[in-house]
Amino acid sequence: MKKIILLSVMFVSTLAVFASANSENSEASSSSASNSWMVESEDGILPGVNPINVKGDIITAGSSTVFPLSEAMAERFQDEGYAGNITVDSIGSGAGFERFTVTGETDISNASRPIKSKEIEAAKKIGRNPIEFRVGTDALAVTVAKSNTFIKDASIDELVKIFTAEKWSDVNPSWPDEKILKFIPGTDSGTFDYFVEEVFDKDSAPLLSAANVQMSEDDNILVQGITESPYGIGFFGYAYYSENKDILNILSIDGVEPIKENVDAAKYPLARPLFIYSDAEVMKSKPQVAAFINFYLTYVNEEVTRVGYFPADESVIAKGKAAWLEAMK
Amino acid sequence: MTKSKREWYVGKPKYHEKIIQTILAVSAVLSVLITFGIVYILGKESLLFFKEVSIVEFFTSTKWQPLINEFGVLPLINSTLTTSFIAMLVAGPLGLFVAIYLSEYASEKARSILKPILEVLAGIPTVVYGYFALTFMTPLLRLIFGKDTVDIYNTASAGLVMGILILPLVASITEDALKAVPSSLREAAFGLGGNKLHTSMTIVVPAAFSGISAAFILGLSRAIGETMIVALAAGAGSNFTFNPFEAAETLTGYIVRISGGDVSYNTMDYNSIFALGLLLFFITLSLNVLSRKLVRKYQEEYD
Amino acid sequence: MINTLFKSATILAIFILFILLVNIINDAFGYVAIENSIEPTIFIESGNLDDLNSDDIIEILEERLSKGLVRRYNSESPLKERSQKELMELLFNRVIEPRVKQSWSLKESIFNKKEILELTTKKYPNAYIDFRAWLNLEFITKPQSSIPEFAGIRTAILGSLMIICITIFFAFPVGVASAIYLEEYAGNNRFTRFVQVNIYNLSGVPSIIFGLLGLAVFVRGMEPFTSGSMFGYGDPATANGRTILAAGLTLAILILPIIIINTQEALRAVPQTLRQAGYGIGGTKWQIIWSHVLPASIERIMTGTILAVSRAIGETAPIVVIGASTFISVDPSNIFSKFTTLPIQIYQWTSRPQAEFRNVAAAAIIVLLLMLLSMNTFAILIRNRIGKNRS
């Protein structure tokens, strides 16, 4: 008899979990935007946001480059009182757009490249019309390990050679006769797309068929690989370099260093915009999404440098704010 | 319940029994359905893949880069075999020695300590072994052979640690095989003046040969299907190389990397992981079937 | 001597286990160099914050913190009404912000303390040295964070536990039922043998294959069910099947063959005489199984199940394949929630380059191993009870 009890205890404890699983509905309660979160405007353009009064969940996914920035904004949003769930998945720009435009399962898509026309087509099929908000600027960082002493600068042509050649000495005879260990972001990432576009003139084949290429959607794995050998080289968003300044060296490109002045003056050849995308219908039916984007645009320039990117110009941010107001009409 | 047992047993209609039996039978059939499910799903997605890719190219080309339509699975198979082979170099001999010690030499007390330790080794999650490979084995190898020889991600480190992972499995199945050898054989050998070592090596081990092979084959199968260690330590990019100190992605490593980055529906990437899954399924299944056949062989021999 | 070879191989195996554990503990404790984001001397010359009174602190907080943050604190409980101690804590955590600049392993901390001190004074002139246990109570009760010293595993532990409950809920009844059928009902015919062989083969399928099955069937094929949209949970627009339910089902299928095989062995261990005694007083087949066979074998069944479940807890690959969220700081609220698990967090943190994340990964590994160890100890206790009962 005791043993039957044992058996049933096991069973009941399992049931208990089901019972305790609360049946909270995370749906937006209605399509009429509840504006209880609006407070006095911060910037004179957008209504101010009080995160304490924002209810409901927000789902975002996309670029691993934008990830640290969106994560910082989400953390600040929660810090200032937002009590709902906000997920930020770092899966690559392409996969992020997939979730946003095909399955429609995300509210906001993070991207380190502009949306492609075929992605807009796909979005239209599910009744979405992507709106672009620019949130910052990245200076794509080409990095080597601290222990690498022979390369400090590369021209775009040299980058092509470095990322396709087998040995360093094949690119420049004065460099060591050692394998070039290449660490590059996965093919689903906007960073990869951008690099192929800017450096390889849109043809990814030479880069992908090169010897000793390591790919990962996780930029941390790339950083780790590069730091461990003087013959490693790789590229990723600037924030991942900022976070690891003590173990990485960054190359200047065509003699231009990726510092704020050069990025602002558009001198650095590998500077690129960072975006978040959403849709007017989503923003209207889910006020929490509108509130978060509003909050994002209002405070992003206070956080962006700390995260390790460069602020977008005020006029560009203002464009985003105008788009927000347009969408909420 | 005790006093009314008798009453409880009588007067229950028979159809209850039938219903219960049916429920039980359905449960048992479910496992068959799972197998069919695996084959069906992997097969369905793989068909889509092989509509685009010729089987000949798949098995002969030495480049794997789906994005630019290079679909040669050899680099992935090659690194899978490299890591598994290194793992067997560790787990094979060590597992055999441990099994001989446990079955022929160890006292009851030593066994009672050793068996749980092997069980603990077997029970450690593979992701922990992956951590161990990356934070201990790789630095150790780089210390011994030099940082320029050994890449940060390499198949040797993953293989060695995988060997530790499958050691308990090989040891316990080998031990069962050795124990199945009748003691009459041992006694006969002692009677002829053989010492313990001589007896173990010339009588017991050969007699248990099919069981030992079974253990090795099962260990190999487990190594081929192992994922987290290679995902963390072996590297992430297909590389057709025979140098164990270089990075090279395995079958399982590729599957986990692509799906970790969130696969888009109905793309070549999505279909390719199922094609590789099917390949992996057939390789491990045939090894497991072979291993079971060998086990049955020795059971029949001595039962 | 060749036979010492056998012994030394065994000792080597034990030694490896020892190294593995030492390596983990080595990373989970050690010195850290901590630097303040803002030095206290800015606010008070002595650098001793205790000399500040409440009004001073409120003034600093209002000046240094964002408007929204001050608003939140005031809404929780007005700053003016908080004690000096509470305000001091806020000042310390939100303004002074001590951050770990570098961390050392336990071995280095014990043997090279002098070098650590020298290096710190050279590299981080403003930093101070502190001994840190990365595994602490806060670590277990806090959610994930992008800052390693604030990262915790509460979300991961809850995710793991909920998934395991689902796994048991599905795998245990089905597994035991299958085993009862095969052992007690099925005749020795071709069909039974086929099912039996099939179960053995299934138990040897690599776990990542189950992940692929889970991805195709539970995450994508049965999306309305696993996302909860057919029950009116979640938001249909953002429904996807990467939920606790999908993970639990995937792991249930993974451990089903193991549970069946273990339960069959348990049933085989029940002496035939027990069954015959049941028939003797006119019981039907099911009555005998229910009132004699199962009670006699329940401990062994439980032991086998616990071992199978502890394997499921440690599984990583299939969960990665079905798409666990890697960065999620929200506790799962029900079985249709997105989730992360303990092994997933370990995998994530291990692959990060910063040494601090290694420390955090080591701490998480210790928690995972303790969880498994306590489960297995429980299983062994039950096993020992069998010995007592049967003697």
Side-chain angles (χ1 to χ4, degrees):
Chain A
M1 189 62 217
K2 260 189 200 148
K3 293 138 194 175
I4 301 294
I5 292 172
L6 247 179
L7 191 91
S8 47
V9 163
M10 202 158 162
F11 188 76
V12 168
S13 63
T14 318
L15 274 182
V17 166
F18 278 78
S20 70
N22 66 46
S23 54
E24 225 179 84
N25 228 338
S26 57
E27 257 179 89
S29 50
S30 66
S31 58
S32 69
S34 75
N35 297 335
S36 59
W37 51 263
M38 287 192 185
V39 288
E40 193 195 336
S41 175
E42 282 285 315
D43 53 11
I45 307 171
L46 295 178
V49 181
N50 180 357
I52 297 171
N53 297 332
V54 178
K55 301 278 179 289
D57 297 348
I58 304 165
I59 298 171
T60 78
S63 162
S64 65
T65 309
V66 182
F67 170 76
L69 186 59
S70 280
E71 190 189 35
M73 293 317 298
E75 277 183 0
R76 178 163 171 179
F77 198 49
Q78 288 175 311
D79 212 15
E80 297 194 0
Y82 169 66
N85 298 342
I86 179 161
T87 46
V88 188
D89 278 350
S90 166
I91 54 179
S93 300
F97 279 130
E98 166 95 13
R99 283 194 199 180
F100 182 73
T101 61
V102 178
T103 54
E105 56 189 80
T106 55
D107 305 320
I108 295 172
S109 209
N110 300 320
S112 58
R113 59 162 172 82
I115 192 165
K116 293 174 181 165
S117 55
K118 66 170 197 254
E119 282 160 343
I120 296 176
E121 292 305 306
K124 287 205 168 111
K125 275 192 198 126
I126 62 163
R128 285 189 172 191
N129 212 342
I131 306 172
E132 183 181 285
F133 302 98
R134 175 132 177 232
V135 290
T137 310
D138 172 32
L140 184 121
V142 182
T143 63
V144 293
K146 269 271 185 273
S147 54
N148 178 317
T149 50
F150 55 87
I151 181 166
K152 298 269 183 287
D153 176 84
S155 65
I156 296 282
D157 288 344
E158 266 178 327
L159 281 184
V160 173
K161 288 193 188 117
I162 289 169
F163 278 96
T164 48
E166 170 133 20
K167 289 188 165 170
W168 285 99
S169 52
D170 300 343
V171 183
N172 179 337
S174 66
W175 287 345
D177 183 27
E178 293 283 352
K179 283 180 313 213
I180 305 175
L181 305 171
K182 311 165 189 80
F183 294 90
I184 64 175
T187 52
D188 217 5
S189 82
T191 310
F192 175 85
D193 286 351
Y194 174 81
F195 192 81
V196 165
E197 200 162 305
E198 290 293 318
V199 177
F200 281 88
D201 209 11
K202 298 186 182 171
D203 180 14
S204 62
L207 177 58
L208 285 171
S209 51
N212 301 311
V213 171
Q214 291 282 297
M215 307 177 86
S216 179
E217 297 292 349
D218 184 346
D219 295 314
N220 292 303
I221 289 177
L222 305 177
V223 172
Q224 189 168 327
I226 297 164
T227 56
E228 290 292 344
S229 167
Y231 311 112
I233 185 164
F235 59 89
F236 31 71
Y238 194 85
Y240 291 89
Y241 162 72
S242 307
E243 204 179 0
N244 298 291
K245 271 188 171 133
D246 52 339
I247 44 178
L248 290 173
N249 280 343
I250 192 161
L251 305 188
S252 54
I253 307 294
D254 289 335
V256 182
E257 279 179 58
I259 48 177
K260 189 168 184 314
E261 295 77 54
N262 294 339
V263 173
D264 286 352
K267 278 187 190 154
Y268 183 69
L270 298 179
R272 57 183 176 145
L274 300 174
F275 305 101
I276 59 174
Y277 283 85
S278 192
D279 158 79
E281 277 315 304
V282 173
M283 286 161 65
K284 276 186 188 139
S285 64
K286 292 182 158 183
Q288 68 271 29
V289 176
F292 179 63
I293 294 172
N294 174 336
F295 185 87
Y296 207 126
L297 295 170
T298 308
Y299 298 111
V300 68
N301 280 358
E302 291 178 19
E303 301 289 331
V304 71
T305 318
R306 193 180 57 81
V307 170
Y309 291 122
F310 304 91
D313 195 70
E314 272 305 331
S315 65
V316 179
I317 297 279
K319 236 189 237 165
K321 288 176 177 172
W324 187 93
L325 289 169
E326 183 62 32
M328 294 306 283
K329 267 180 189 161
Chain B
M1 187 154 167
T2 42
K3 67 176 182 358
S4 59
K5 234 177 190 157
R6 184 101 202 162
E7 293 159 43
W8 186 77
Y9 277 141
V10 289
K12 284 238 172 180
K14 277 279 187 239
Y15 67 84
H16 271 242
E17 288 289 321
K18 275 274 171 267
I19 292 172
I20 286 167
Q21 184 166 347
T22 316
I23 292 172
L24 297 177
V26 166
S27 301
V29 173
L30 197 68
S31 67
V32 181
L33 288 182
I34 292 172
T35 310
F36 283 138
I38 290 177
V39 176
Y40 172 76
I41 295 280
L42 294 180
K44 193 181 84 176
E45 303 289 347
S46 303
L47 271 180
L48 292 172
F49 177 81
F50 286 117
K51 264 189 193 145
E52 312 280 327
V53 180
S54 82
I55 294 220
V56 177
E57 185 201 352
F58 187 68
F59 283 113
T60 54
S61 161
T62 57
K63 271 221 180 311
W64 175 266
Q65 203 57 271
L67 196 81
I68 47 173
N69 295 324
E70 289 181 327
F71 297 104
V73 77
L74 284 181
L76 301 178
I77 290 189
N78 174 51
S79 53
T80 297
L81 291 178
T82 309
T83 49
S84 306
F85 182 71
I86 294 170
M88 286 318 293
L89 282 183
V90 175
L94 272 182
L96 180 62
F97 293 158
V98 169
I100 293 176
Y101 178 75
L102 281 174
S103 133
E104 310 294 310
Y105 286 86
S107 64
E108 202 47 50
K109 189 160 183 279
R111 287 173 53 85
S112 70
I113 297 169
L114 276 173
K115 291 284 267 188
I117 286 181
L118 284 178
E119 273 176 33
V120 169
L121 266 180
I124 292 175
T126 58
V127 70
V128 178
Y129 280 108
Y131 172 89
F132 184 66
L134 205 55
T135 60
F136 180 82
M137 193 59 83
T138 303
L140 184 71
L141 288 176
R142 300 188 84 194
L143 193 72
I144 298 170
F145 299 102
K147 286 199 170 189
D148 293 348
T149 317
V150 185
D151 291 352
I152 167 77
Y153 302 116
N154 63 75
T155 44
S157 168
L160 289 170
V161 174
M162 214 143 76
I164 300 166
L165 168 79
I166 55 179
L167 168 73
L169 176 85
V170 175
S172 83
I173 298 179
T174 307
E175 193 207 352
D176 290 344
L178 294 174
K179 275 215 172 111
V181 175
S183 20
S184 55
L185 274 183
R186 291 186 185 82
E187 277 145 24
F190 289 143
L192 293 171
N195 64 7
K196 194 155 198 169
L197 174 68
H198 192 251
T199 308
S200 305
M201 295 315 283
T202 57
I203 308 289
V204 181
V205 170
F209 183 75
S210 65
I212 295 170
S213 326
F216 277 40
I217 290 167
L218 198 65
L220 184 66
S221 162
R222 174 68 69 81
I224 287 171
E226 175 44 45
T227 310
M228 291 330 284
I229 299 175
V230 290
L232 276 165
S238 68
N239 182 6
F240 193 68
T241 174
F242 293 99
N243 178 352
F245 292 144
E246 279 185 3
E249 190 163 48
T250 66
L251 285 169
T252 52
Y254 176 82
I255 295 174
V256 99
R257 173 167 69 92
I258 294 299
S259 50
D262 190 56
V263 213
S264 315
Y265 290 80
N266 306 328
T267 55
M268 276 319 270
D269 267 352
Y270 183 72
N271 298 335
S272 74
I273 61 174
F274 284 90
L276 296 180
L278 188 66
L279 181 67
L280 193 66
F281 178 73
F282 277 131
I283 294 174
T284 51
L285 183 71
S286 44
L287 287 172
N288 291 344
V289 169
L290 184 63
S291 161
R292 278 200 58 74
K293 273 208 159 62
L294 287 162
V295 168
R296 284 254 286 287
K297 198 173 139 191
Y298 85 73
Q299 282 175 339
E300 279 161 18
E301 253 171 67
Y302 299 119
D303 277 1
Chain C
M1 285 307 290
I2 216 167
N3 49 7
T4 52
L5 186 68
F6 304 143
K7 199 164 185 167
S8 43
T10 316
I11 290 167
L12 180 65
I14 299 170
F15 182 66
I16 290 171
L17 178 64
F18 176 74
I19 292 274
L20 188 119
L21 296 175
V22 165
N23 180 51
I24 292 163
I25 291 169
N26 187 27
D27 276 344
F29 303 91
Y31 280 114
V32 286
I34 297 178
E35 208 168 51
N36 294 330
S37 308
I38 294 175
E39 286 302 321
T41 43
I42 290 181
F43 307 121
I44 186 154
E45 257 173 64
S46 65
N48 187 356
L49 292 172
D50 292 340
D51 297 348
L52 293 166
N53 65 34
S54 293
D55 291 344
D56 295 339
I57 299 178
I58 290 175
E59 200 180 315
I60 295 169
L61 289 174
E62 283 176 343
E63 178 195 351
R64 295 273 171 180
L65 298 180
S66 74
K67 224 167 89 180
L69 198 54
V70 173
R71 183 171 51 206
R72 182 198 126 194
Y73 285 138
N74 275 323
S75 79
E76 284 169 357
S77 85
L79 290 174
K80 298 249 184 297
E81 292 169 19
R82 296 187 185 209
S83 69
Q84 201 250 7
K85 190 167 158 278
E86 278 178 77
L87 290 168
M88 189 64 80
E89 209 167 288
L90 281 184
L91 177 68
F92 187 73
N93 287 334
R94 307 302 316 233
V95 181
I96 307 291
E97 280 196 325
R99 286 281 184 273
V100 171
K101 284 285 165 192
Q102 194 167 352
S103 67
W104 290 272
S105 69
L106 189 57
K107 191 182 105 211
E108 289 166 326
S109 304
I110 294 171
F111 296 109
N112 313 359
K113 193 173 170 185
K114 221 171 93 208
E115 286 90 330
I116 292 176
L117 284 170
E118 280 168 10
L119 187 90
T120 308
T121 37
K122 208 167 70 193
K123 220 166 144 186
Y124 313 105
N126 296 330
Y128 55 95
I129 290 276
D130 193 15
F131 188 84
R132 183 178 169 107
W134 292 88
L135 174 62
N136 52 40
L137 198 63
E138 276 202 331
F139 176 70
I140 295 170
T141 53
K142 273 196 166 148
Q144 158 77 304
S145 159
S146 54
I147 302 161
E149 54 264 47
F150 293 134
I153 49 173
R154 187 185 71 201
T155 310
I157 289 177
L158 287 172
S160 279
L161 289 178
M162 283 172 84
I163 287 170
I164 284 309
C165 287
I166 305 241
T167 302
I168 295 170
F169 182 81
F170 286 102
F172 184 71
V174 175
V176 173
S178 309
I180 292 174
Y181 182 79
L182 290 170
E183 282 304 307
E184 308 286 331
Y185 284 86
N188 187 5
N189 53 33
R190 277 175 77 167
F191 172 73
T192 314
R193 277 200 298 276
F194 171 70
V195 174
Q196 194 67 64
V197 165
N198 174 61
I199 288 168
Y200 276 119
N201 287 335
L202 210 50
S203 69
V205 171
S207 60
I208 193 166
I209 304 275
F210 287 100
L212 288 172
L213 182 72
L215 173 69
V217 176
F218 299 132
V219 176
R220 305 218 151 149
M222 292 163 58
E223 192 173 286
F225 173 66
T226 45
S227 68
S229 59
M230 66 190 254
F231 306 109
Y233 284 90
D235 185 334
T238 59
N240 72 49
R242 298 179 197 87
T243 56
I244 288 199
L245 181 59
L249 287 170
T250 305
L251 290 182
I253 286 186
L254 175 80
I255 63 169
L256 186 65
I258 311 173
I259 291 186
I260 297 176
I261 292 168
N262 286 335
T263 308
Q264 279 185 291
E265 280 170 8
L267 293 172
R268 253 175 250 154
V270 176
Q272 277 300 336
T273 49
L274 202 68
R275 295 185 181 89
Q276 281 145 8
Y279 288 123
I281 51 172
T284 62
K285 192 158 193 140
W286 175 245
Q287 287 168 339
I288 289 155
I289 290 168
W290 183 247
S291 57
H292 291 110
V293 179
L294 276 182
S297 56
I298 186 74
E299 281 113 338
R300 277 201 175 80
I301 294 175
M302 291 279 286
T303 309
T305 306
I306 291 171
L307 293 176
V309 167
S310 61
R311 183 180 153 186
I313 289 183
E315 274 298 348
T316 323
I319 306 281
V320 174
V321 173
I322 66 162
S325 295
T326 41
F327 301 92
I328 182 172
S329 55
V330 217
D331 295 346
S333 58
N334 59 48
I335 57 171
F336 305 116
S337 304
K338 298 179 115 188
F339 67 94
T340 180
T341 69
L342 209 43
I344 293 274
Q345 289 296 291
I346 294 167
Y347 171 50
Q348 262 301 313
W349 285 331
T350 302
S351 57
R352 294 187 72 138
Q354 297 87 351
E356 291 79 20
F357 279 110
R358 288 277 166 87
N359 302 131
V360 177
I365 288 176
I366 293 177
V367 175
L368 179 65
L369 290 182
L370 285 176
M371 236 160 116
L372 295 177
L373 191 72
S374 54
M375 284 182 68
N376 290 340
T377 313
F378 185 57
I380 287 167
L381 284 178
I382 297 179
R383 204 189 293 175
N384 291 349
R385 263 198 44 190
I386 303 174
K388 274 206 203 79
N389 284 2
R390 302 274 168 266
S391 57

